Amino acid sequence: NAGVTQTPKFQVLKTGQSMTLQCAQDMNHEYMSWYRQDPGMGLRLIHYSVGAGITDQGEVPNGYNVSRSTTEDFPLRLLSAAPSQTSVYFCASSKTANYGYTFGSGTRLTVV
Amino acid sequence: GQQVMQIPQYQHVQEGEDFTTYCNSSTTLSNIQWYKQRPGGHPVFLIQLVKSGEVKKQKRLTFQFGEAKKNSSLHITATQTTDVGTYFCAGFRGGNEKLTFGTGTRLTIIP
């Protein structure tokens, strides 16, 4: 039982490049979310999903896409990286809305 | 913008002193969750409160949910060096499936 697995742990991108941050969970959780964490800003919700095939926007969705084709996986795509997307990205999952979230260990992304 | 605020943003305490962080929402929350993030780590779920006025304890930690379900607090009695980290509250607004996090309170302990 690995919990929530995020890859890669670190990534450096050039402005304009695209990439996908991977997130997988093996707990059969319906809810999955992506957050970004910046100093002094706490955790801000990018996109979330309440089940396979269903996704919705969070507070800061611009520049990011998601899809949820399976219960286990919830990848986050950066379409054209910008320096403002330099951040630590966390994926989280939960059984339902009223359960605590389990977080992955994060991806530290730098866009130069 | 951020609709769940926490105060203080930073707190430095001597080991053995008490610590409290406060969480305030601009809207009524259906529940409130608390998380702890150690330096360099990821948030870890501590507890969830659902009922108005609810109080829960975990060893030296006491969590409270306000009567109006718009505020919450976390109190740590006799802090230890293992309590170092950032404490976040997070809540769902009724009918909303987005978990919104507070701005966090960073606790440092002076040995």
Side-chain angles (χ1 to χ4, degrees):
Chain A
N1 193 335
V4 178
T5 303
Q6 287 185 241
T7 55
K9 291 194 184 305
F10 301 94
Q11 183 72 50
V12 179
L13 286 180
K14 293 183 178 178
T15 298
Q17 286 186 316
S18 62
M19 80 159 293
T20 299
L21 306 185
Q22 301 292 344
C23 176
Q25 53 91 8
D26 61 358
M27 299 172 283
N28 201 31
H29 283 174
E30 291 296 322
Y31 275 59
M32 295 188 76
S33 301
W34 276 101
Y35 290 86
R36 60 176 289 173
Q37 185 171 35
D38 303 293
M41 301 289 291
L43 291 136
R44 292 183 293 168
L45 182 63
I46 305 171
H47 286 285
Y48 67 102
S49 168
V50 300
I54 306 168
T55 63
D56 206 346
Q57 295 181 348
E59 302 170 66
V60 289
N62 293 341
Y64 308 95
N65 272 357
V66 291
S67 59
R68 184 101 180 266
S69 55
T70 66
T71 299
E72 294 78 22
D73 299 298
F74 192 41
L76 177 73
R77 281 181 287 277
L78 278 71
L79 309 172
S80 176
S84 60
Q85 293 178 306
T86 293
S87 188
V88 180
Y89 291 84
F90 288 103
C91 177
S93 74
S94 174
K95 193 173 178 180
T96 69
N98 286 321
Y99 279 75
Y101 274 44
T102 300
F103 279 79
S105 57
T107 295
R108 186 173 293 273
L109 175 69
T110 303
V111 182
V112 297
Chain B
Q2 198 81 33
Q3 298 184 351
V4 180
M5 302 301 295
Q6 278 182 257
I7 53 170
Q9 190 174 2
Y10 301 96
Q11 185 79 59
H12 311 282
V13 300
Q14 289 277 134
E15 188 174 8
E17 290 183 340
D18 292 357
F19 159 77
T20 304
T21 173
Y22 299 92
C23 176
N24 295 291
S25 170
S26 56
T27 57
T28 302
L29 301 171
S30 58
N31 61 24
I32 194 99
Q33 299 178 357
W34 284 91
Y35 292 79
K36 177 184 178 181
Q37 184 177 23
R38 293 182 184 273
H42 57 274
V44 174
F45 174 71
L46 294 176
I47 208 162
Q48 175 171 271
L49 305 170
V50 178
K51 298 176 185 174
S52 168
E54 189 170 12
V55 178
K56 286 188 176 181
K57 292 192 175 185
Q58 284 181 350
K59 297 183 180 177
R60 294 179 295 104
L61 278 61
T62 302
F63 304 85
Q64 205 160 5
F65 200 9
E67 294 290 341
K69 301 184 80 172
K70 284 185 160 183
N71 55 70
S72 181
S73 64
L74 158 59
H75 179 81
I76 302 178
T77 304
T79 54
Q80 300 174 359
T81 54
T82 53
D83 296 326
V84 164
T86 301
Y87 292 85
F88 291 98
C89 63
F92 286 101
R93 283 170 283 157
N96 190 315
E97 294 158 327
K98 302 177 187 180
L99 183 64
T100 300
F101 276 77
T103 45
T105 295
R106 188 172 183 177
L107 173 65
T108 56
I109 307 287
I110 306 163

